[in-house]
Amino acid sequence: AAPKQRPPVIWLHFGECTGCSEGFLRSMYPWIDELLIDILDVEYHETIMAAAGHQAEENRERAVEKYAGKFICVVEGAIATKYNGAYGKIGGKTFLEIAKSVCPKAAAVISIGTCAAFGGVQAAAPNPGGYKGVSDALGIKAINIPGCPPNPVNLVGTIVNYLLLGKLPAMDNLNRPMFAYGKTIHDQCPRRSHFENDEFVEEFGSEEAKLGYCLYKLGCRGPETYNNCPIVKFHGGTSWPIQAGHPCIGCSEPDFWDKMTPFYEE
Ligand code: SF4
Ligand code: SF4
Ligand code: F3S
């Protein structure tokens, strides 16, 4: 059952592509309309709110004051830190200024996606804007729900844990909830028996690819990547990269644009 008092959520967008919001809007367990209407009280979210321009800015400031100490701040996107944050602004204020004025007043800060958690593509070398994840940029300990995009189930599970039990779920050393990021892709992969039997795909479109063999030799990063994609899958359990025949590119790991590339090995 939904809690009586819906928790206020202020969702900030910084350096990002909105893919995390798009993923969240496709939540099916529960459906997004139930989440938005019955479970959460989303006070500010640039993609789905009616207000625009100065009115939107005022709404955010009013919500932060009204719900100080009570709201959940979800951050999507990385924060530019060089040149006083000049690489990213909204309404004349830098991402850094907005984050500093909102995040410390939240009851909990959740970094949704690899951009907010670890910097993501904005922080890829040579990173001219000095982009960082939220925890690094502000010197705080946000809860990280990485993935590019992450599965909405992982965000919803974290929030529901907080609502029902009054506490955050157990985390690992990168502040990721263990229920979602406790095991590697490789350890949960349905192609694992092919890996153990030395049955590999060496070329896309090959006979081995049709047989669903292991993608390790195409550059699969499943052994180094902690996420629950093989179990929860995307779009309500329809599919996930490896089921679709594509190697895992390690999209939920820190610095994956620098450390997991080249994504394809031949
Ligand atoms: Fe987009 Fe990926 Fe960043 Fe999410 S983590 S905002 S999907 S680039
Ligand atoms: Fe591991 Fe990737 Fe092979 Fe799956 S496809 S068994 S994750 S190397
Ligand atoms: Fe990302 Fe790998 Fe899952 S690329 S979506 S962590 S299978």
Side-chain angles (χ1 to χ4, degrees), residues 63-176:
V64 169
E65 293 315 319
K66 185 169 171 194
Y67 298 109
K70 298 191 188 106
F71 69 91
I72 298 173
C73 182
V74 178
V75 183
E76 180 176 355
I79 298 174
T81 60
K82 272 196 199 164
Y83 316 109
N84 284 325
Y87 265 65
K89 287 186 178 177
I90 301 167
K93 290 195 183 125
T94 66
F95 296 160
L96 194 57
E97 283 171 325
I98 297 170
K100 279 183 178 166
S101 73
V102 177
C103 295
K105 295 185 180 142
V109 179
I110 301 178
S111 292
I112 177 94
T114 303
C115 295
F118 307 126
V121 67
Q122 292 74 212
N127 191 5
Y131 270 96
K132 291 181 178 173
V134 176
S135 292
D136 268 6
L138 301 184
I140 61 169
K141 238 183 158 191
I143 300 138
N144 291 325
I145 313 278
C148 187
N151 200 304
V153 168
N154 298 347
L155 175 65
V156 172
T158 303
I159 293 179
V160 167
N161 192 294
Y162 179 71
L163 296 183
L164 296 181
L165 305 178
K167 60 177 184 181
L168 294 165
M171 313 275 192
D172 70 2
N173 60 348
L174 291 175
N175 247 24
R176 305 177 288 197

Side-chain angles (χ1 to χ4, degrees), residues 39-258:
I39 299 175
L40 304 175
D41 166 18
V42 181
E43 288 284 326
Y44 183 87
H45 187 306
E46 286 159 15
T47 317
I48 57 174
M49 65 198 293
H54 294 301
Q55 194 192 13
E57 298 294 296
E58 284 161 23
N59 285 2
R60 186 187 65 234
E61 281 160 22
R62 205 175 315 124
V64 169
E65 293 315 319
K66 185 169 171 194
Y67 298 109
K70 298 191 188 106
F71 69 91
I72 298 173
C73 182
V74 178
V75 183
E76 180 176 355
I79 298 174
T81 60
K82 272 196 199 164
Y83 316 109
N84 284 325
Y87 265 65
K89 287 186 178 177
I90 301 167
K93 290 195 183 125
T94 66
F95 296 160
L96 194 57
E97 283 171 325
I98 297 170
K100 279 183 178 166
S101 73
V102 177
C103 295
K105 295 185 180 142
V109 179
I110 301 178
S111 292
I112 177 94
T114 303
C115 295
F118 307 126
V121 67
Q122 292 74 212
N127 191 5
Y131 270 96
K132 291 181 178 173
V134 176
S135 292
D136 268 6
L138 301 184
I140 61 169
K141 238 183 158 191
I143 300 138
N144 291 325
I145 313 278
C148 187
N151 200 304
V153 168
N154 298 347
L155 175 65
V156 172
T158 303
I159 293 179
V160 167
N161 192 294
Y162 179 71
L163 296 183
L164 296 181
L165 305 178
K167 60 177 184 181
L168 294 165
M171 313 275 192
D172 70 2
N173 60 348
L174 291 175
N175 247 24
R176 305 177 288 197
M178 294 288 286
F179 76 84
Y181 302 92
K183 289 184 187 158
T184 62
I185 297 286
H186 190 58
D187 282 348
Q188 307 166 88
C189 183
R191 299 191 187 216
R192 179 64 182 263
S193 58
H194 293 302
F195 176 87
E196 304 298 341
N197 290 336
D198 280 335
E199 293 166 345
F200 296 105
V201 179
E202 307 216 8
E203 206 182 326
F204 286 110
S206 62
E207 201 50 42
E208 291 76 14
K210 281 186 210 146
L211 289 167
Y213 282 3
C214 171
L215 303 167
Y216 187 70
K217 291 192 176 171
L218 290 175
C220 183
R221 305 296 179 189
E224 309 140 78
T225 304
Y226 289 80
N227 208 336
N228 57 358
C229 315
I231 307 301
V232 296
K233 305 184 181 180
F234 286 83
H235 304 300
T238 311
S239 191
W240 64 291
I242 289 175
Q243 184 175 331
H246 196 284
C248 171
I249 60 170
C251 79
S252 53
E253 290 297 311
D255 304 323
F256 82 98
W257 290 98
D258 295 329

